[in-house]
Amino acid sequence: MKPIIIGGGIAGLSLAYFLKKNSIVLEKEKTPGGLCRSFEFNKISYDVGPHTMFPGKEGVMKLLISSAKTNKIKRSNKIYHKGRLIKYPFESDLASLDDRDREYCLKEFLHNPYKNSRAQNMLQFFLKTFGQGITKLHLQPYNQKVWKISPDQLDIRLAERIPKPLKEDIIKSAQGIETERHAPEFDCYYPDRGGIQETTNGLLKIIADKSRIVCSIKIKRIYRENGIWQVATNKGNFSSRLLVNCMPLHELFKYLKAPQYILKALHGLKYNSIYIVPVQAKKDNIGNNLALYFADKDIIFNRISKLDFLGSNYRLKNHHSTVLAEITYRPKSYLSKLKSKEVRQRVIAGLDKLNLVKKEDVVDVALRSFEYAYVVYDLNYKKKVDCILKYLLSIGIYCCGRFAEFEYLNIDGVVEHSDKLAKKLNEKNNL
Ligand SMILES: Cc1cc2nc3c(=O)[nH]c(=O)nc-3n(C[C@H](O)[C@H](O)[C@H](O)COP(=O)(O)OP(=O)(O)OC[C@H]3O[C@@H](n4cnc5c(N)ncnc54)[C@H](O)[C@@H]3O)c2cc1C
């Protein structure tokens, strides 16, 4: 019996690659790839927010980067702050702030009353690590905007992703001296054409001989009979001794019976969805930057990216540019209830207000929304996730992926996890 993998995102597809035995991947959408799919807008490919790939650990990412023709990208990301563009991360470019803000950030960093405190949430971590100036001016409002939750309600685990600044680097940053750690690097990869979907397609080609990918699947029920997992779907029943879940946990429990305490834990897990709004315009004032970040709560988007930056195949022939706006929102929130026309209008109004793209220069605009974009690490999430994953393992269901493990993983992290799980399963089941 072939192992069944539910969910054909990068987790499911890379797991199919790493498993020794041939497997079946069941995918809900018409096209596999999950968050690593791309879409076309007037012949320009765009992703769910540009998916640049980081080299990660040797071997694992090599597989992905080599699965399509990719270019090395010199990232240039900035933060829009009071009409100025500050290099990302904020603390690396204090010299670009006005005199008052720069003094405030530097003084609060050097004489930080929170320095020796014990941080138990993200707000306390920001204050302790960066001081009140950088926290109040940028980190607190930006994180509130992206996560839709106050940073004092965010688990300290998010800090694992944030590099801690050195004192001498902050002093140099205020003097306008670039530090080695923050020097621009050729540090990420992006497909030459077709968006991140090309990488997914490359991987699909590699696994074509050993995996059967069944798309447009509608699962009806998941249950176990005589030690064999059964997945009842619109395309028939699939059976296996080995079931790996790579789709979001919130999806899995729509089809799998579970005790009340597990469902309670599941309903306590918060996640954010995202609107992706591509805007094509005759011209823009974004400069030679890939992405700009916005903490201002009166601007609807938290990030915009200029796709032209990703290579000649992402440039419109008539020299118009494509800007991709991202708006995170919580399901059932005020933002989730906006009509798509209103979201598009507010994106255009925001770009116009900040003089990044004038309203009269906009040629075309579209919108897509994706339910599962970001797992939210609120203060109690870890206990709930551990409880759910432990239960699933106890009944013989393995989980792998961003929403399947409820872990804030990027592509490299997901592929690393699928590699690790495959090693365990290959050994254990002698697959
Ligand atoms: C805005 C944004 C920007 C990002 N940028 C980057 C970046 O620049 N670099 C980077 O490395 N990572 C980036 N990421 C993270 C990256 O997208 C994820 O880590 C990765 O794609 C997750 O893969 P996955 O397979 O775990 O999950 P998913 O891609 O979510 O895959 C889950 C799959 O399960 C399927 N599914 C759902 N329900 C069902 C069902 N009922 N039945 C069957 N199948 C189902 C879905 O259709 C999907 O294909 C970004 C993420 C977001 C949201």
Side-chain angles (χ1 to χ4, degrees):
M1 269 180 201
K2 291 178 181 169
I4 296 175
I5 298 170
I6 308 183
I10 281 300
L13 300 179
S14 56
L15 184 68
Y17 169 81
F18 290 121
L19 283 177
K20 277 193 201 144
K21 201 169 176 180
N22 296 357
S23 53
I24 298 177
V25 181
L26 303 179
E27 167 56 43
K28 178 173 87 167
E29 302 292 341
K30 274 192 239 153
T31 321
L35 288 168
C36 289
R37 281 175 298 156
S38 305
F39 307 89
E40 279 228 338
F41 182 47
N42 298 330
K43 299 202 174 135
I44 296 294
S45 304
Y46 69 93
D47 312 335
V48 189
H51 269 62
T52 50
M53 289 177 284
F54 310 101
K57 288 208 178 124
E58 251 318 275
V60 177
M61 280 311 282
K62 244 168 72 184
L63 159 72
L64 279 186
I65 291 167
S66 64
S67 67
K69 188 179 172 211
T70 49
N71 296 323
K72 270 187 180 179
I73 304 286
K74 176 180 177 284
R75 281 192 301 163
S76 169
N77 295 345
K78 303 239 168 81
I79 293 157
Y80 188 95
H81 180 78
K82 298 184 184 170
R84 292 163 185 254
L85 292 183
I86 316 294
K87 270 186 225 148
Y88 179 94
F90 193 83
E91 69 275 12
S92 74
D93 190 20
L94 299 182
S96 295
L97 297 172
D98 65 30
D99 292 351
R100 203 161 146 232
D101 285 351
R102 184 174 55 250
E103 285 309 308
Y104 175 42
C105 290
L106 187 61
K107 191 175 125 242
E108 292 295 329
F109 177 81
L110 294 177
H111 309 284
N112 186 356
Y114 304 99
K115 198 171 147 193
N116 297 318
S117 61
R118 194 167 151 252
Q120 289 180 307
N121 60 52
M122 284 308 287
L123 180 60
Q124 290 172 354
F125 167 80
F126 290 146
L127 288 167
K128 175 186 165 76
T129 314
F130 299 95
Q132 196 185 62
I134 295 170
T135 300
K136 295 270 178 215
L137 290 184
H138 176 66
L139 292 170
Q140 189 172 10
Y142 182 73
N143 280 277
Q144 165 86 47
K145 184 168 176 177
V146 170
W147 297 108
K148 310 293 176 221
I149 188 172
S150 168
D152 66 0
Q153 297 301 308
L154 281 171
D155 192 283
I156 193 79
R157 271 183 194 84
L158 261 185
E160 287 163 9
R161 299 173 65 105
I162 302 175
K164 319 294 172 286
L166 300 173
K167 184 175 164 187
E168 51 272 31
D169 284 357
I170 295 282
I171 295 170
K172 281 185 186 164
S173 138
Q175 293 168 338
I177 303 168
E178 204 159 75
T179 56
E180 212 175 292
R181 242 157 52 100
H182 292 122
E185 292 166 283
F186 286 92
D187 55 0
C188 65
Y189 294 81
Y190 194 72
D192 179 54
R193 60 180 69 234
I196 196 68
Q197 181 81 54
E198 278 300 294
T199 302
T200 304
N201 292 348
L203 184 56
L204 281 166
K205 265 189 219 149
I206 297 173
I207 62 173
D209 287 344
K210 65 191 289 254
S211 318
R212 185 177 153 215
I213 320 280
V214 187
C215 289
S216 305
I217 205 91
K218 283 198 178 64
I219 298 175
K220 293 178 183 159
R221 193 153 82 94
I222 300 172
Y223 58 101
R224 193 155 61 164
E225 219 170 48
N226 303 325
I228 310 274
W229 282 106
Q230 306 287 343
V231 184
T233 78
N234 60 331
K235 299 198 174 180
N237 258 33
F238 296 85
S239 316
S240 179
R241 283 188 195 285
L242 180 58
L243 181 66
V244 184
N245 172 55
C246 294
M247 70 176 165
L249 289 173
H250 290 80
E251 289 292 314
L252 175 68
F253 287 105
K254 287 182 184 169
Y255 316 108
L256 178 74
K257 274 200 181 144
Q260 208 47 43
Y261 78 95
I262 293 297
L263 297 179
K264 194 170 165 222
L266 179 80
H267 292 134
L269 292 180
K270 297 183 178 67
Y271 63 91
N272 285 349
S273 308
I274 197 163
Y275 292 121
I276 299 291
V277 182
V279 178
Q280 286 174 341
K282 287 181 203 152
K283 54 182 190 287
D284 67 70
N285 297 316
I286 294 168
N288 198 23
N289 294 302
L290 171 58
L292 304 183
Y293 297 85
F294 302 84
D296 183 348
K297 63 178 172 20
D298 295 328
I299 298 295
I300 193 169
F301 40 81
N302 46 281
R303 176 167 82 157
I304 60 170
S305 308
K306 185 166 159 171
L307 301 190
D308 310 44
F309 194 90
L310 294 167
S312 56
N313 291 318
Y314 301 95
R315 264 169 229 147
L316 283 157
K317 297 276 175 283
N318 49 14
H319 303 294
H320 292 179
S321 60
T322 306
V323 176
L324 203 66
E326 294 168 45
I327 300 131
T328 58
Y329 64 92
R330 184 70 52 76
K332 297 191 185 132
S333 67
Y334 156 75
L335 278 174
S336 76
K337 291 181 184 137
L338 291 182
K339 295 217 164 60
S340 81
K341 188 176 169 197
E342 199 172 345
V343 177
R344 281 180 278 151
Q345 280 170 346
R346 284 182 60 180
V347 167
I348 293 170
L351 291 169
D352 184 68
K353 183 177 170 193
L354 303 178
N355 198 25
L356 293 168
V357 176
K358 293 312 289 173
K359 203 173 173 179
E360 56 273 21
D361 288 327
V362 172
V363 178
D364 208 353
V365 55
L367 179 143
R368 273 177 192 272
S369 60
F370 300 86
E371 179 164 7
Y372 299 102
Y374 290 98
V375 297
V376 177
Y377 284 5
D378 68 0
L379 289 180
N380 296 313
Y381 93 98
K382 187 73 173 104
K383 249 196 222 154
K384 294 172 197 153
V385 173
D386 287 349
C387 165
I388 296 168
L389 294 181
K390 191 170 159 205
Y391 167 74
L392 287 171
L393 205 55
S394 77
I395 60 167
I397 297 182
Y398 296 88
C399 287
C400 181
R402 180 158 160 130
F403 277 90
E405 294 174 85
F406 213 82
E407 196 173 325
Y408 186 16
L409 297 169
N410 273 340
I411 302 172
D412 48 337
V414 167
V415 178
E416 234 172 76
H417 279 211
S418 61
D419 188 10
K420 203 165 151 197
L421 177 60
K423 280 192 179 111
K424 186 169 147 190
L425 295 175
N426 286 337
E427 214 171 273
K428 189 171 172 186
N429 295 284
N430 204 12
L431 291 174

